[in-house]
Amino acid sequence: MKSPRVVVWAFDDWLAAQLREAVGERRWVLQSVRTHAEWATATATRGPCVAVVQVDPTADSDKQLSAVVELHWANPDADVVVVCDAKLNDEDRPPWSAAVLDLGARLVLYPPLTRAVLEDAVLGLTEHRAGTPPPAPAAEEIDLAAGNFEAE
């Protein structure tokens, strides 16, 4: 089985930087792309893939949304996470989210976006796609004597 891939198409390196450590710990592949051509090449390979694309819904460009549709049709086994780059009003979020989900996105995230939320979303989808369980938390040793516990 091919190693799971996380492909990030964003305006800057912030999204990829937030995911780099967690993806690296799992020995998955993280690719950061800037153009539609790079996106198409990076997501064309079959195998477990979660693609993260940053979109500004207030901009006139629809390249990123077209890429969501193309990926959904070309590789339905890949999950797409759309990260909204602009703050939308509460009443604008539901219709915009519904439209993006209809185009093939699996998840839509809005600012403010924290590293923990991004990691949980992307890593959870990747683990599901790859069929791998999440890493077990480190076992913590408990010293009962240190807490002055006594048998009854």
Side-chain angles (χ1 to χ4, degrees):
M1 175 197 262
K2 291 188 175 191
S3 184
R5 291 171 296 118
V6 176
V7 179
V8 179
W9 182 8
F11 307 132
D12 56 27
D13 288 329
W14 187 84
L15 286 172
Q18 299 305 304
L19 296 168
R20 189 165 285 117
E21 182 180 338
V23 169
E25 286 174 358
R26 288 159 177 80
R27 295 189 175 143
W28 296 341
V29 176
L30 175 67
Q31 291 178 269
S32 181
V33 300
R34 290 278 190 275
T35 67
H36 185 268
E38 291 174 326
W39 166 270
T41 301
T43 58
T45 307
R46 292 280 183 191
C49 177
V50 172
V52 180
V53 61
Q54 186 177 25
V55 178
D56 182 353
T58 62
D60 291 334
S61 176
D62 61 348
K63 285 184 182 180
Q64 287 87 356
L65 293 178
S66 297
V68 171
V69 174
E70 291 169 14
L71 179 57
H72 180 68
W73 284 102
N75 188 356
D77 292 333
D79 287 325
V80 181
V81 176
V82 173
V83 177
C84 183
D85 190 49
K87 292 184 180 180
L88 293 178
N89 300 336
D90 288 341
E91 59 271 359
D92 292 336
R93 284 185 180 191
W96 196 82
S97 295
V100 172
L101 293 171
D102 283 347
L103 294 175
R106 174 80 174 204
L107 186 62
V108 181
L109 301 175
Y110 291 95
L113 187 62
T114 64
R115 180 180 186 168
V117 169
L118 184 62
E119 281 182 356
D120 284 350
V122 173
L123 299 178
L125 287 172
T126 308
E127 287 163 353
H128 175 75
R129 266 297 150 212
T132 59
E140 186 176 326
E141 194 172 299
I142 299 172
D143 185 2
L144 295 177
N148 295 325
F149 294 102
E150 296 180 22
E152 294 180 9

